Amino acid sequence: MLNSITKLFKQLLDGSDLGEQHKADPNLAIACLLCEVADADHQQDQQEEIAKQQLIGRLLNLDAAQTETLLNRAQNKAKEAASLYEFTSQLRELSQETRYELIKAMWEIAHADGEIDPLEDAVIRKTAELLYVDHSEFIRAKLSVTESSNKL
């Protein structure tokens, strides 16, 4: 937090354009949201990391190298973020179906280790609210993920 404030003051003193920092990058925003849910329970889980990589590649149609680069940027950006709004505000122009797929992907990451932590649930719920995803779609995405893993 103190580093962010110091950085802001340095930008002001240097005369840097503060708007540069907030340019829309939907792919980065999506990757950051997936990182947020993976890190919500403060536990590093290999299955969640694998799911995150696969989902970023699938959702954004990226190859392995592009996925790795984007994921590294997203993890750093997510650590610096003050709120989910920084990411969701860039994604409101997405179609309803794309927003649903993002919420579903977040559930897949949260459930990759076999259980959904309440903190992961809270991140997904807040993201769905900020993206104006109907509660019924939020539940449909969750059930789609949890019921499909129960069938395996």
Side-chain angles (χ1 to χ4, degrees):
M1 172 89 169
L2 186 57
N3 288 339
S4 297
I5 293 170
T6 305
K7 190 168 149 183
L8 177 64
F9 281 127
K10 283 182 182 178
Q11 287 176 335
L12 288 171
L13 292 173
D14 293 341
S16 300
D17 181 12
L18 296 175
E20 291 289 319
Q21 182 177 340
H22 297 291
K23 283 187 178 176
D25 185 349
N27 286 356
L28 181 60
I30 288 169
C32 286
L33 288 170
L34 296 178
C35 289
E36 287 284 346
V37 75
D39 297 337
D41 60 0
H42 306 290
Q43 295 178 6
Q44 295 291 334
D45 186 272
Q46 189 63 29
Q47 288 132 339
E48 287 181 355
E49 291 300 314
I50 292 168
K52 186 170 49 174
Q53 289 176 338
Q54 291 173 344
L55 289 163
I56 288 172
R58 186 186 82 203
L59 285 173
L60 304 176
N61 199 23
L62 302 174
D63 64 30
Q66 292 170 319
T67 299
E68 190 65 33
T69 300
L70 182 61
L71 191 54
N72 288 334
R73 286 180 55 214
Q75 287 172 326
N76 291 331
K77 183 83 172 165
K79 287 177 187 172
E80 297 171 0
S83 73
L84 296 173
Y85 183 79
E86 290 181 42
F87 312 125
T88 59
S89 63
Q90 300 177 46
L91 302 175
R92 291 203 180 118
E93 300 300 317
L94 297 176
S95 70
Q96 192 65 29
E97 182 60 29
T98 304
R99 287 184 266 164
Y100 168 81
E101 289 299 323
L102 173 58
I103 297 302
K104 183 177 173 189
M106 292 177 80
W107 282 121
E108 289 179 47
I109 290 172
H111 196 260
D113 61 359
E115 64 179 74
I116 297 173
D117 187 273
L119 294 170
E120 294 168 330
D121 185 291
V123 168
I124 300 167
R125 184 177 305 274
K126 187 64 175 173
T127 300
E129 289 171 5
L130 290 168
L131 289 175
Y132 306 116
V133 174
D134 291 336
H135 186 69
S136 61
E137 293 296 292
F138 167 82
I139 296 298
R140 182 170 73 97
K142 181 178 183 178
L143 292 176
S144 169
V145 170
T146 57
E147 289 178 354
S148 68
S149 69
N150 289 340
K151 293 178 183 176
L152 297 178

